[in-house]
Amino acid sequence: MTREELKKRIATVEESYEFFLAYAAQGLPANSGSPSEGEVRDFLSRADEALTGLAIGFAAIVEAEEFRPVGPYRSMIAVLERDAKSAGAAIQLVLAQPAISSQLIDNLNASIHVRALLTDLFLLDEVLEGQ
């Protein structure tokens, strides 16, 4: 994975979260049949896809560009892998629901797993800018 691809994935997750905030604010019930529900499913799917292999991609950049000292990067890669997996599980659970209410998305947004991942990505983005 290149830096550009990694940055694109980070942007996809951040964009999705912003959409989730707006969706949650709509107050839609689970059975609304709103056109926004199709959009939220698309954002959920794209975010989930962006998380797949995220830690491996960052690890490849660390190795290819010889970031030093390597220890802190390896530790953060492990954190990123765990947080991406946890947030991905929450996203997949929401996607598995027959209808997606605003409240369900609000609960996803509030999930510590999603928040931890976002914080990881903000940090990672800044680290990449500094390297």
Side-chain angles (χ1 to χ4, degrees):
M1 179 180 303
T2 65
R3 272 180 184 251
E4 292 74 32
E5 291 168 329
L6 183 61
K7 285 183 161 284
K8 215 184 248 188
R9 286 181 182 220
I10 291 170
T12 296
V13 173
E14 291 173 357
E15 248 177 56
S16 297
Y17 182 72
E18 289 171 11
F19 181 85
F20 300 156
L21 290 172
Y23 188 85
Q26 293 179 28
L28 299 171
N31 60 357
S32 73
S34 165
S36 297
E37 188 174 330
E39 280 185 281
V40 79
R41 285 189 184 279
D42 181 55
F43 275 97
L44 286 161
S45 295
R46 290 187 338 187
D48 188 43
E49 186 178 314
L51 296 179
T52 304
L54 195 64
I56 293 168
F58 182 51
I61 291 167
V62 167
E63 184 178 322
E65 298 185 22
E66 299 179 352
F67 289 6
R68 298 292 180 260
V70 75
Y73 292 99
R74 285 189 182 144
S75 295
M76 188 60 201
I77 289 163
V79 168
L80 180 60
E81 184 173 23
R82 182 185 64 237
D83 290 346
K85 185 176 181 179
S86 296
I91 289 169
Q92 290 166 17
L93 177 65
V94 171
L95 274 168
Q97 303 314 299
I100 301 174
S101 68
S102 289
Q103 185 62 45
L104 185 59
I105 292 297
D106 193 40
N107 290 333
L108 176 66
N109 289 343
S111 165
I112 194 69
H113 305 297
V114 171
R115 293 195 177 256
L117 174 70
L118 286 168
T119 304
D120 294 347
L121 295 180
F122 297 150
L123 179 63
L124 183 61
D125 203 26
E126 286 300 314
V127 165
L128 289 172
E129 287 297 318
Q131 287 288 331

